[in-house]
Amino acid sequence: MATYLYKLGRFAFRRRHFVALLWVALLTLAGVGAASAPPAGNSSFSIPGTEAQRAFDLLEQRFPGMSADGATARVVFKAPEGQKMTDAGNKAAVEKTVKELGSGSEVASVADPYTGKAVSRDGTIAYASVKYKVSGMELEDSSRDALKESAGHARDAGLTVEIGGDALTTAPETGSSEVVGIAIAAVVLVITFGSLIAAGLPLLTAIIGVGIGVSAITALATPLDLGSTTSTLATMIGLAVGIDYALFIVSRYRAELAEGRDREEAAGRAVGTAGSAVVFAGLTVVIALVGLSVVNIPMLTKMGVAAAGTVAIAVLIALTMIPALLGYAGRTVKPAGEKSKLLGGGRAAKKAGRPNMGTRWASFVVRRPVTVLLLGVVGLGAAAVPAASLELGLPDDGSQPVSTTQRRAYDLLSDGFGPGFNGPLMVVVDAKGSADKKAAFAKVGDEIKGLKDVVTVTPPAPNKAGDTAIITVVPKSQPSSATTEDLVHAIRGKSASIASATDAKLLVTGATAMNIDVSQKLNDALLPYLALVVGLAFLLLIVVFRSILVPLKAALGFLLSVLAALGAVVAVFQWGWLSGLMNVEQTGPVMSMMPIFMVGVVFGLAMDYEVFLVTRMREAYVHGENPGQAVVTGFRYSARVVTAAAVIMIAVFSGFIGSSEAMIKMIGFGLAIAVFFDAFIVRMAVVPAVLALLGRRAWWLPAWLDRALPNVDVEGEGLRTDPDPDGDRELVRA
């Protein structure tokens, strides 16, 4: 592989005009496609194989006119102090608003509070339910504007009016902090390379790669049903790995220049050595992201595949566009140790003298491996303790900031009708096979009324054929509570007795039941997903390192870092620690997708650092150094760059903590803290300590397996024995 990538790097350096034009053409093509595509909305949400989804599908068949997947809104009214919603003036204002709400072309129905019994017992709060013909993803902006204007007219009449529901859902905003993250990355690159040009190359190529990836996602959003969150996550991951991959190749290029090689040869060797590590690191990320498809949640699969595509583009750009741009940069990119005239007065590289920070740290770890290992493991274990209290759920209006109208509507409904009113359960009774369908419907209603934690059970609402009915159940507890989850299981537990007595089928759905099913499905998929991803990556790392214990140590270190990161997420978003600093206005259950998504993404990123750091150690070991010295050598050449890469990735992920979307904020924080734990504790402390303790045993591989494995030559050994495979080196003195 190293020889092939060496040739690719030299080709890109020599034919830089062609390579640069190719990537610019791809960026332009993707940009044109994105510009001509309709804007991305919210991806349709389905959970195949769950009871909630089966009930939803049944409603689509038996109630074809009800627009089961249509957007909904609840316009909540509160009377002025000392008044009631039944007062003549307030009632007239509400009825006028209801009439305005029903005039929209996309509105399917509007329920009047006074005819639909939607006025609280104390008479101070009422709500009007609006049902749309299309989903929230397809809803026109004009319909949202009309909804807000109607509420404004009621406010003018003196009422407090707030709006909840998915009709107001918009694309998440990441805010200026995303730009701050990129700015921090730029500063780190300038400090690392001592040159504005060298620092700008990783940023430029990462932005181009993300531009192509996100533009392609935008262009395909409608036909592939990709939501706005998909492109946000692709941007987050694409920026981080794009900068890191380019950083490693540019750093190796400068090291090759420092050894006296001409620029084309240095570019070829940089791509042949660091580029090999980039390929395998990228493969681990892609495996982890594509592996999310085993969960069988379409939205999660699309997010993973889209992000994996952006990572693949980042790898290709690092292997081709970076050497091409290095050709354009010429002498402005200095050998390692030299500074540009602007930043360092053009001073030459330092001669061998005092060891650098990486060397000193690695030497300390090699001398005190047990102490460092214990401190690292105990520290991560302490951070992981809150993960034992992990509670999972999906965000709803109750998790929105208190400054939003959705959250205020949620609170008003809780005050007026009870906390469970925001999460009603929809019980679907399929009595097609029942001899007495009305009796079956009544039997289900009576059974549910006898359960604990039930406030209201509405009369059955049958379809036109009379073979299927909907019963709405309002729990006493809030949607995300364990009590409500127990109620859902209790209702479903009645299914067998109902079927035995009436031959009718009972299914529970609705947003609350769907959230419960999602959490259960994700929990069930976590271990198989871990086995698949870690197993495939373990095999890949055996090929890379030609060792059994090194990949095993890498996987165990990952588990430590991801558990510690989950503990930090629980402490901040569930317990409320440092919530003010993170601008978390509402604590509650951790998003159901967070553990499995973190496992996928963090595993891929953790293997990046493992590959980049340990391949340098492996390279030193196979060239004759003893195991302890190989660890020190690996840190001498890689610690500074790995540290810079980690700081950049943390900065990029932290930028998304400023998002208005709770899911993006949580993922940004989780990935940032996971990279911190993995890079600075696991890879910089635990890994060298373990390797120092294992000694030569770390690189042991059974002879039969050594013969069976392909030789991918990540260390670039082939380049040492055949330094110019093409035999046609062109000396470039640009």
Side-chain angles (χ1 to χ4, degrees):
M1 175 179 284
T3 301
Y4 170 76
L5 292 177
Y6 167 86
K7 294 178 181 179
L8 177 63
R10 290 187 57 201
F11 170 83
F13 189 96
R14 290 197 305 268
R15 302 289 183 261
R16 47 189 171 272
H17 301 312
F18 169 76
V19 173
L21 183 62
L22 176 63
W23 283 111
V24 170
L26 288 175
L27 178 62
T28 303
L29 182 64
V32 170
S36 59
N42 299 301
S43 177
S44 58
F45 191 79
S46 63
I47 312 294
T50 62
E51 178 174 321
Q53 187 63 46
R54 291 198 303 272
F56 183 83
D57 294 339
L58 182 65
L59 289 175
E60 289 286 307
Q61 298 173 9
R62 305 287 176 85
F63 293 82
M66 71 176 294
S67 301
D69 62 344
T72 59
R74 276 178 171 176
V75 182
V76 187
F77 308 90
K78 183 178 180 181
E81 190 69 29
Q83 299 183 26
K84 295 185 179 297
M85 291 304 305
T86 51
D87 294 347
N90 295 334
K91 186 175 181 180
V94 171
E95 290 175 341
K96 182 180 179 181
T97 301
V98 169
K99 186 176 180 180
E100 292 176 358
L101 291 170
S103 62
S105 60
E106 293 184 314
V107 175
S109 63
V110 180
D112 188 302
Y114 301 102
T115 59
K117 298 181 179 179
V119 179
S120 62
R121 288 185 178 180
D122 62 4
T124 60
I125 297 173
Y127 70 92
S129 297
V130 185
K131 186 74 174 177
Y132 291 89
K133 300 174 183 177
V134 296
S135 65
M137 181 182 68
E138 302 166 317
L139 198 63
E140 296 287 343
D141 288 339
S142 57
S143 295
R144 292 191 180 94
D145 293 339
L147 178 62
K148 295 174 183 176
E149 288 174 7
S150 299
H153 295 159
R155 290 191 188 100
D156 294 339
L159 298 175
T160 298
V161 186
E162 305 296 346
I163 307 171
D166 61 354
L168 290 185
T169 303
T170 57
E173 300 175 0
T174 55
S176 59
S177 53
E178 179 183 348
V179 179
V180 173
I182 297 176
I184 294 174
V187 172
V188 173
L189 288 169
V190 171
I191 294 172
T192 302
F193 291 138
S195 166
L196 292 176
I197 299 296
L201 295 182
L203 281 176
L204 176 61
T205 54
I207 291 171
I208 291 174
V210 169
I212 293 172
V214 172
S215 295
I217 291 170
T218 304
L220 298 173
T222 299
L224 298 183
D225 190 25
L226 304 176
S228 55
T229 305
T230 304
S231 60
T232 305
L233 296 175
T235 301
M236 182 192 302
I237 296 170
L239 269 178
V241 300
I243 294 173
D244 277 8
Y245 295 164
L247 166 65
F248 281 104
I249 291 179
V250 173
S251 178
R252 188 61 183 252
Y253 170 77
R254 296 178 72 235
E256 296 292 337
L257 288 179
E259 292 183 10
R261 294 186 175 87
D262 68 80
R263 295 186 178 276
E264 180 184 332
E265 179 69 11
R269 286 178 176 271
V271 175
T273 52
S276 297
V278 165
V279 170
F280 280 98
L283 275 175
T284 59
V285 180
V286 169
I287 287 172
L289 291 171
V290 174
L292 290 170
S293 59
V294 303
V295 184
N296 196 27
I297 295 179
M299 186 181 77
L300 192 60
T301 300
K302 292 169 187 175
M303 288 163 56
V305 172
T310 306
V311 171
I313 292 171
V315 171
L316 293 174
I317 283 184
L319 297 178
T320 57
M321 196 169 185
I322 281 294
L325 292 178
L326 288 171
Y328 283 118
R331 294 184 181 276
T332 57
V333 177
K334 304 293 182 182
E338 290 188 21
K339 303 291 183 180
S340 67
K341 291 182 179 180
L342 178 62
L343 297 175
R347 67 175 181 267
K350 295 178 182 178
K351 293 185 178 181
R354 187 168 182 247
N356 62 21
M357 180 69 75
T359 302
R360 296 197 300 273
W361 169 250
S363 299
F364 170 78
V365 174
V366 169
R367 290 195 307 269
R368 301 284 188 272
V370 175
T371 301
V372 173
L373 179 61
L374 288 176
L375 286 175
V377 172
V378 170
L380 290 173
V385 168
S389 302
L390 177 68
E391 296 177 7
L392 298 177
L394 285 180
D396 55 16
D397 285 349
S399 61
Q400 295 275 1
V402 293
S403 58
T404 62
T405 185
Q406 294 97 318
R407 172 61 188 279
R408 292 195 294 267
Y410 181 98
D411 291 340
L412 284 176
L413 289 173
S414 295
D415 293 341
F417 301 92
F421 192 79
N422 282 294
L425 306 176
M426 186 182 296
V427 179
V428 182
V429 186
D430 180 7
K432 197 168 186 177
S434 179
D436 190 344
K437 297 175 175 55
K438 290 185 178 180
F441 300 153
K443 171 74 172 174
V444 172
D446 292 340
E447 290 283 343
I448 295 173
K449 288 177 183 177
L451 296 174
K452 295 180 180 179
D453 199 49
V454 172
V455 173
T456 305
V457 178
T458 64
N463 61 349
K464 290 184 179 179
D467 57 5
T468 307
I470 299 173
I471 299 174
T472 301
V473 179
V474 177
K476 289 181 182 177
S477 306
Q478 62 184 12
S480 58
S481 68
T483 307
T484 300
E485 182 176 349
D486 292 340
L487 175 60
V488 170
H489 293 314
I491 295 174
R492 288 173 173 172
K494 296 289 185 181
S495 181
S497 61
I498 292 294
S500 176
T502 65
D503 291 324
K505 298 177 182 178
L506 180 154
L507 301 169
V508 183
T509 189
T512 301
M514 184 72 81
N515 289 354
I516 292 170
D517 288 351
V518 169
S519 297
Q520 186 61 51
K521 190 176 182 70
L522 289 167
N523 284 337
D524 293 343
L526 184 57
L527 288 180
Y529 174 69
L530 261 176
L532 172 70
V533 172
V534 176
L536 289 176
F538 181 78
L539 295 176
L540 189 65
L541 292 178
I542 288 178
V543 175
V544 174
F545 297 127
R546 307 194 77 78
S547 163
I548 297 293
L549 296 179
V550 170
L552 180 61
K553 172 264 308 168
L556 294 176
F558 151 73
L559 291 175
L560 273 175
S561 58
V562 79
L563 285 173
L566 275 175
V569 169
V570 170
V572 174
F573 291 90
Q574 187 175 311
W575 292 359
W577 294 5
L578 301 178
S579 58
L581 182 63
M582 299 296 168
N583 197 28
V584 178
E585 297 187 23
Q586 179 64 32
T587 59
V590 172
M591 183 184 63
S592 298
M593 294 182 184
M594 191 67 190
I596 203 162
F597 188 81
M598 278 188 64
V599 165
V601 177
V602 175
F603 183 79
L605 299 180
M607 294 306 103
D608 280 3
Y609 301 117
E610 182 75 14
V611 170
F612 288 129
L613 191 60
V614 180
T615 48
R616 268 294 196 170
M617 299 178 190
R618 168 76 181 173
E619 185 177 343
Y621 178 75
V622 298
H623 291 144
E625 294 187 9
N626 65 57
Q629 186 57 41
V631 170
V632 176
T633 300
F635 268 76
R636 178 187 305 131
Y637 291 110
S638 300
R640 178 183 175 90
V641 181
V642 169
T643 299
V647 172
I648 288 169
M649 200 170 280
I650 291 169
V652 172
F653 288 149
S654 297
F656 290 85
I657 297 175
S659 174
S660 61
E661 180 72 25
M663 181 176 73
I664 300 298
K665 181 190 291 287
M666 190 180 295
I667 288 176
F669 172 80
L671 294 183
I673 198 68
V675 169
F676 173 80
F677 287 146
D678 195 85
F680 293 110
I681 300 180
V682 173
R683 308 304 153 188
M684 291 290 187
V686 173
V687 165
V690 171
L691 291 177
L693 288 171
L694 290 175
R696 296 186 182 276
R697 289 168 296 183
W699 307 107
W700 171 79
L701 187 70
W704 63 268
L705 185 56
D706 187 41
R707 292 190 298 269
L709 291 177
N711 183 12
V712 295
D713 189 21
V714 176
E715 298 85 16
E717 183 64 24
L719 302 182
R720 291 176 179 264
T721 58
D722 186 11
D724 189 11
D726 287 345
D728 60 349
R729 181 172 63 203
E730 173 190 338
L731 191 61
V732 176
R733 290 186 171 88

